[in-house]
Amino acid sequence: MTASEKTPVDFWFDPLCPWAWMTSRWMLEVEKLRPVEVRWHVMSLAVLNENKLDELPEEYREMLATKAWGPVRVAIAAEQKFGQAVLGPLYEALGTRFHNRGEGATPEAIAGALADAGLPAELADYAGSDAYDTELRDSHREGIELVGQDVGTPVISVPGADGGRVAFFGPVVTPAPKGEAAAKLWDGTLMVASTPGFYEIKRTRTVGPIFD
C-alpha cells in the first residue's frame, strides 16, 4: 500500500506533555496495523493557557512560564526551515529524552534531541526567540479550532465520511496499547468520535504515565 492510499492522521502535539507522548506511542503502533499515515503538527500548552493563567495552579503557571515555550519554538523553527517531515523524528527525540529518560525539558535535552534527529545545533537558539511565534500560533489554532478551547494536547484529526474532518482530543491512555489492542482502540475511538452529537467519555485518572 502506498502512502497515497493511506488515510492521513493529523496529530497535534506539545513535546512537553507526557500524556500526548503516550498517545503518540499508541498512534505509531496503530500506523503498523491500520492503513493510516501520521502527519505531525505543533500545538502549544503555553498558547492554550495564556488567557487563563489566573485559573491555574501556581506550579502549572511556573511550568508554562519556564519550560513550555522553548520546545515548541524549536519544533516550529525546525518545521519552517526543513519541512514538516522533520517533526516526527524531532518529536521522537524530544519525547524520548524528556519523558522516557527523565531528562525534562532542559536546554541540554533539547540540544541532545536535535543531535539525535540529525538537525543543526543552532536550532536550539530558537527556544528563546519569538521569530516563528506567528507560525506556532497558526499551527496551534488549526488543531485547537477542530475541537474547542476546553481540551489540551494531543488533538487528532482524520477525514470524515462526509468530506469534513473528524477530530478529537486524546485518547488519554497508559501504558500505550500494543498490537491488536492498539488497533481495537483506534477503531473504537473513530467509531465514537464520528458519531454525530457525541462529545465525551471520561473517568478519573488513577495512574500516571507509564513509559515503556
Side-chain angles (χ1 to χ4, degrees):
M1 179 176 291
T2 65
S4 62
E5 296 173 309
K6 295 181 178 181
T7 299
V9 177
D10 292 297
F11 189 111
W12 279 266
F13 68 91
D14 184 321
L16 193 64
C17 179
W19 295 105
W21 176 245
M22 298 300 302
T23 307
S24 74
R25 302 307 87 193
W26 163 71
M27 198 67 246
L28 291 182
E29 190 75 5
V30 172
E31 202 174 36
K32 301 173 187 175
L33 299 164
R34 293 291 186 265
V36 301
E37 181 178 33
V38 182
R39 302 188 300 196
W40 303 100
H41 308 271
V42 183
M43 66 181 295
S44 169
L45 291 171
V47 172
L48 180 67
N49 290 288
E50 63 184 352
N51 293 323
K52 49 187 176 183
L53 292 176
D54 291 344
E55 305 169 18
L56 301 175
E58 182 177 351
E59 182 179 357
Y60 195 77
R61 292 199 306 270
E62 177 69 13
M63 182 275 294
L64 292 175
T66 60
K67 297 180 179 179
W69 284 103
V72 291
R73 281 173 164 168
V74 170
I76 203 71
E79 180 188 32
Q80 292 301 307
K81 288 180 172 291
F82 300 102
Q84 189 183 50
V86 306
L87 281 179
L90 179 56
Y91 184 30
E92 179 83 20
L94 288 167
T96 297
R97 285 181 174 271
F98 288 6
H99 306 301
N100 292 70
R101 297 186 188 177
E103 297 178 19
T106 64
E108 294 78 13
I110 293 172
L114 288 169
D116 295 342
L119 290 167
E122 55 265 27
L123 282 171
D125 295 339
Y126 286 95
S129 169
D130 63 0
Y132 292 110
D133 277 12
T134 297
E135 291 79 3
L136 172 61
R137 290 176 182 277
D138 288 345
S139 180
H140 174 89
R141 185 181 305 110
E142 182 185 4
I144 206 68
E145 286 184 350
L146 295 171
V147 292
Q149 296 289 332
D150 59 344
V151 300
T153 176
V155 170
I156 295 176
S157 173
V158 297
D162 61 357
R165 300 172 84 175
V166 174
F168 49 90
F169 158 70
V172 176
V173 61
T174 187
K178 304 289 194 303
E180 190 57 27
K184 288 172 65 177
L185 178 58
W186 175 250
D187 296 341
T189 300
L190 287 187
M191 181 180 68
V192 298
S194 61
T195 299
F198 176 84
Y199 291 104
E200 188 172 359
I201 286 179
K202 191 171 184 178
R203 57 187 173 192
T204 300
R205 291 196 298 259
T206 58
V207 179
I210 300 171
F211 307 120
D212 55 6

